[in-house]
Amino acid sequence: MDVIQLSVVVVSFNTRGILRDCLNSVYAHKPSFSFEVIVVDNASLDGSAEMVRREFPQVKLIRNTANRGFAPANNQGFAQARGRYWLMLNSDTLVRRDVLERSVEYMHAHKEVGMFGCRVLNKDKTMQETCFMWPSLLNLALVSSGLARVFPKSEFLNRERMRSWKRDSEREVEVITGCYLLIRAEYAEKVGWLDEDFFFYGEETDWCRRFREAGYKVMFAPVGEIIHLGGASGEAGHYSRKIMLGQALIRLQRKHNGLLPALLAWCLLVLESVIKSVGFGAAGIFKKRFRPVCRKYFGVLTHALQLWPKAGKRRRKRVLAVSSPGGHWVQLRRLEPVFKCYDTWYASTREDYRPEVVGSPFLLVPDVSRWQRWYIPIAFGRILIVLLRLRPDVVFSTGALPGLLAVIAGRIVGARCVWLDSIANSEELSMSGRYAGRFVQLWLTQWEHLAAEEGAVSGPEYEGKVL
Amino acid sequence: MIFVAVGTQLPFDRLIAAVDSWAETAATQVVAQIGTGGEYVPQHMQATATLPAAKFAQICSEAEVVVSHAGMGIIMLAREKGVPLIVMPRRQELGEIRNQHQLATVRHFGALDGIYVAQDTAELAVLLANYARLVASRVASQPAAELLARLRSFIDEEE
């Protein structure tokens, strides 16, 4: 089998029609090398997921039961991606000609480049401005003061959007827009994935900055183009969008420059809203079309405190993944694509497993089997102490007895627990697995015929196997 | 090189003795991990009781063929490393294991390509005699996407 070069990750949310066009454009202009497409559906209500399953069976589809936000959904896609390069592609885009192939070739030839963006066109084939400067306080002031709009020809006033550059030359940039962002997976593993504290806007700006700080280049090159249907920014629109954007801008300042710059950014945005709601309000007396703009800025003003980003609400969950050695451990390790998305601690009974989990902490837990009954309470006590220190959000186990003790102890310390019964237990659940069912919130078997019938009082769920 | 392994939990003399007697005349070197508590002492193989996990995986990936009990760990490891695998299930009635789940494992996984099942030592001898013709599985199987997604959405849920 070919090594997959490219993983295209598309997040979908109620955009069935344009998502279909987007996927069609990818397959119509597919590269010559091996690639995959992953769609993460954020609980669309318009049948987007069903459409993908029906019309694009070759797409790897991940369905969320709730809208988890843009950054978390992309990270879910990356967790499944097997390619050397990941492409973050918006669902409202159309790829053209050989842009996928050329983009990957570019990355191939430039090892120092961590992120890459191509030319982006509007629906009418005019150039769309993508790639910006970092939204520093100066840039923020120039944009929010309206000076940039009043003097569109001035290079200095329009420095953030780099207006004078026609996006026709190769250039190192500070920010690439996430509608088409190609990432070298190897570097992303070092830098880390998208910061899930950003709900909407700002996540790719933050990511680009982290790549640059790690010493990787963020490059634009006109090797090809895509069409981005959205992305046209206007003055009208609902204030909630403006608030999300403001939150993102302040969060970026808070994260990278500190508290004072963040406060200044907040002041700037509030000042902008005061001036613009008064200005457009006055203009609205004479001209009706200014009234919605006034309403938008007034809306921002009345929600000024919400502009300040909430701290650490979405802190990374801590997961304890624990199992016996041997087959249980091998199965547990197969789920690494899930565990690497969290602050995961591995635990088993053999010290020589420690080097296997490079990058994640490893805990040694006491070995015990049900043939040594006298030792069970002692082992349980030791596992409970480990859990009291660690305070995991989730305890996960494939078995056997040490895993069972860990999920019971997990419940005592308030963790939510998962049991995935070993694939070796194909005729009936393991004994530990049967007991574990009483304690865990998610009880899984790897054999469909062992799963509880629909509507049954109790029994494990089946979602597939680890191999 | 042929690698024969029985896991760390229990010895498996029936397998070790059978491979050892074949090793006497085999044209290739045989490395054995025989566990602790067994009575049989191999004469023709380079044997150790246990191996560190990293070393175990390394030998496994270098072997031409792996021979083992029907444990899930070794089945998955051999597939990951792309090495053909001969499995002989442990039997409860011979005191080799505490339940019959290795027979079930063989029923469910014996049909996969790259896995060759020997129900007894006679079948094992036939497979070993033809070891050079055994081929590994060509597909590196992935965990089910639904399973990964279910775990992620469970972990991400707010309490």
Side-chain angles (χ1 to χ4, degrees), chain A residues 126-296:
Chain A
T126 55
M127 188 207 50
Q128 190 173 105
E129 280 170 357
T130 55
C131 300
F132 305 115
M133 283 180 78
W134 169 257
S136 63
L137 285 176
L138 172 63
N139 290 335
L140 212 56
L142 293 176
V143 174
S144 60
S145 65
L147 283 171
R149 282 179 76 86
V150 177
F151 302 102
K153 293 253 164 5
S154 159
E155 196 160 326
F156 174 75
L157 296 177
N158 287 286
R159 61 200 291 272
E160 187 191 17
R161 297 187 80 90
M162 300 185 282
R163 275 265 148 81
S164 60
W165 173 38
K166 294 291 162 228
R167 270 69 171 174
D168 49 4
S169 55
E170 187 177 349
R171 192 186 278 210
E172 187 175 354
V173 293
E174 293 184 348
V175 177
I176 290 174
T177 322
C179 67
Y180 183 100
L181 176 57
L182 188 65
I183 300 124
R184 193 183 300 271
E186 184 196 340
Y187 297 169
E189 296 297 352
K190 291 182 187 152
V191 173
W193 296 3
L194 285 168
D195 182 347
E196 301 192 0
D197 280 343
F198 290 88
F199 185 76
F200 204 71
Y201 296 126
E203 54 285 282
E204 77 266 38
T205 308
D206 165 71
W207 211 17
C208 290
R209 168 123 183 182
R210 282 154 53 209
F211 263 73
R212 286 168 59 82
E213 282 174 351
Y216 305 122
K217 282 188 176 171
V218 175
M219 291 294 293
F220 172 93
V223 299
E225 57 206 20
I226 63 157
I227 292 175
H228 186 205
L229 304 174
S233 59
E235 272 293 350
H238 197 250
Y239 70 84
S240 59
R241 211 156 250 273
K242 193 82 190 157
I243 286 178
M244 282 200 282
L245 187 58
Q247 268 178 350
L249 288 168
I250 295 168
R251 188 182 286 281
L252 286 168
Q253 290 294 333
R254 179 85 186 84
K255 179 171 176 181
H256 293 281
N257 297 343
L259 186 59
L260 190 64
L263 274 168
L264 285 169
W266 182 82
C267 293
L268 266 171
L269 292 175
V270 171
L271 190 66
E272 177 196 14
S273 302
V274 171
I275 294 171
K276 289 191 177 169
S277 48
V278 171
F280 284 107
I285 297 172
F286 307 104
K287 287 221 159 79
K288 244 185 168 174
R289 67 186 171 97
F290 290 122
R291 288 180 198 169
V293 189
C294 166
R295 267 201 296 278
K296 182 176 79 169

Side-chain angles (χ1 to χ4, degrees), chain A residues 68 317 334 352 416 427, chain B residues 53 107-108 141 154 156-157:
Chain A
R68 306 207 18 237
K317 294 248 166 114
R334 302 270 302 174
D352 56 336
R416 293 156 68 240
E427 318 257 293
Chain B
R107 270 197 295 284
H108 287 288
S141 66
F154 176 83
D156 288 331
E157 264 170 43

Side-chain angles (χ1 to χ4, degrees), chain B residues 22-40:
Chain B
W22 172 77
E24 188 177 0
T25 55
T28 181
Q29 188 200 3
V30 184
V31 176
Q33 180 267 312
I34 61 172
T36 48
E39 284 164 14
Y40 183 84

Side-chain angles (χ1 to χ4, degrees), chain A residues 76-94:
Chain A
Q76 276 180 286
F78 299 146
Q80 296 277 314
R82 286 174 292 158
R84 292 180 62 190
Y85 305 102
W86 301 338
L87 177 66
M88 240 171 108
L89 185 68
N90 278 13
S91 64
D92 59 347
T93 58
L94 300 168

Side-chain angles (χ1 to χ4, degrees), chain B residues 1-137:
Chain B
M1 182 260 291
I2 306 292
F3 181 39
V4 50
V6 303
T8 52
Q9 307 255 331
L10 295 162
F12 191 7
D13 280 350
R14 190 161 57 99
L15 177 71
I16 294 300
V19 178
D20 193 41
S21 81
W22 172 77
E24 188 177 0
T25 55
T28 181
Q29 188 200 3
V30 184
V31 176
Q33 180 267 312
I34 61 172
T36 48
E39 284 164 14
Y40 183 84
V41 181
Q43 303 297 315
H44 311 290
M45 319 191 279
Q46 183 190 322
T48 40
T50 55
L51 285 164
K55 184 78 184 155
F56 190 96
Q58 188 206 334
I59 297 177
C60 190
S61 64
E62 288 168 2
E64 295 165 79
V65 173
V66 173
V67 185
S68 79
H69 69 144
M72 274 325 297
I74 188 83
I75 289 178
M76 302 214 304
L77 187 65
R79 285 176 76 75
E80 230 170 83
K81 303 290 179 195
V83 182
L85 175 71
I86 301 174
V87 294
M88 185 166 90
R90 293 173 183 267
R91 286 182 185 276
Q92 189 180 25
E93 67 271 22
L94 300 175
E96 290 164 348
I97 196 164
R98 295 172 187 125
N99 57 41
Q100 292 286 33
H101 86 231
Q102 290 212 343
L103 291 176
T105 300
V106 161
R107 270 197 295 284
H108 287 288
F109 293 99
L112 292 180
D113 63 336
I115 299 178
Y116 301 86
V117 178
Q119 291 294 350
D120 51 38
T121 50
E123 288 184 21
L124 178 66
V126 175
L127 285 168
L128 283 173
N130 296 297
Y131 82 89
R133 269 181 263 157
L134 306 184
V135 286
S137 159

Side-chain angles (χ1 to χ4, degrees), chain A residues 188-455:
Chain A
E189 296 297 352
K190 291 182 187 152
V191 173
W193 296 3
L194 285 168
D195 182 347
E196 301 192 0
D197 280 343
F198 290 88
F199 185 76
F200 204 71
Y201 296 126
E203 54 285 282
E204 77 266 38
T205 308
D206 165 71
W207 211 17
C208 290
R209 168 123 183 182
R210 282 154 53 209
F211 263 73
R212 286 168 59 82
E213 282 174 351
Y216 305 122
K217 282 188 176 171
V218 175
M219 291 294 293
F220 172 93
V223 299
E225 57 206 20
I226 63 157
I227 292 175
H228 186 205
L229 304 174
S233 59
E235 272 293 350
H238 197 250
Y239 70 84
S240 59
R241 211 156 250 273
K242 193 82 190 157
I243 286 178
M244 282 200 282
L245 187 58
Q247 268 178 350
L249 288 168
I250 295 168
R251 188 182 286 281
L252 286 168
Q253 290 294 333
R254 179 85 186 84
K255 179 171 176 181
H256 293 281
N257 297 343
L259 186 59
L260 190 64
L263 274 168
L264 285 169
W266 182 82
C267 293
L268 266 171
L269 292 175
V270 171
L271 190 66
E272 177 196 14
S273 302
V274 171
I275 294 171
K276 289 191 177 169
S277 48
V278 171
F280 284 107
I285 297 172
F286 307 104
K287 287 221 159 79
K288 244 185 168 174
R289 67 186 171 97
F290 290 122
R291 288 180 198 169
V293 189
C294 166
R295 267 201 296 278
K296 182 176 79 169
Y297 284 104
F298 190 70
V300 174
L301 206 53
T302 55
H303 295 79
L305 285 179
Q306 276 187 28
L307 281 174
W308 194 259
K310 291 176 195 72
K313 188 176 143 263
R314 284 166 185 258
R315 125 192 124 73
R316 287 211 322 163
K317 294 248 166 114
R318 177 169 286 178
V319 177
L320 176 68
V322 51
S323 85
S324 300
H328 295 107
W329 174 255
V330 178
Q331 293 176 63
L332 179 101
R333 294 281 296 141
R334 302 270 302 174
L335 299 167
E336 194 181 12
V338 172
F339 296 137
K340 72 182 180 188
C341 307
Y342 305 96
D343 172 23
T344 296
W345 293 58
Y346 287 96
S348 189
T349 64
R350 279 176 61 177
E351 179 60 34
D352 56 336
Y353 285 167
R354 186 184 299 276
E356 256 187 55
V357 295
V358 267
S360 300
F362 177 85
L363 298 165
L364 197 64
V365 292
D367 198 2
V368 58
S369 84
R370 64 187 155 106
W371 309 101
Q372 309 154 299
R373 286 209 176 141
W374 59 272
Y375 187 62
I376 291 175
I378 301 171
F380 180 69
R382 289 175 57 187
I383 289 173
L384 185 59
I385 291 170
V386 168
L387 269 91
L388 280 167
R389 288 211 193 114
L390 192 63
R391 291 281 172 177
D393 298 296
V394 172
V395 176
F396 173 92
S397 185
T398 47
L401 190 50
L404 174 62
L405 299 181
V407 296
I408 297 171
R411 287 306 301 269
I412 293 174
V413 303
R416 293 156 68 240
C417 300
V418 189
W419 184 273
L420 176 67
D421 209 45
S422 164
I423 197 165
N425 306 111
S426 50
E427 318 257 293
E428 56 173 359
L429 290 180
S430 67
M431 180 171 281
S432 309
R434 287 198 296 276
Y435 281 112
R438 302 181 195 167
F439 298 98
V440 297
Q441 285 92 341
L442 179 60
W443 189 21
L444 296 164
T445 169
Q446 298 188 57
W447 294 97
E448 204 162 3
H449 59 265
L450 297 182
E453 309 262 321
E454 199 109 0

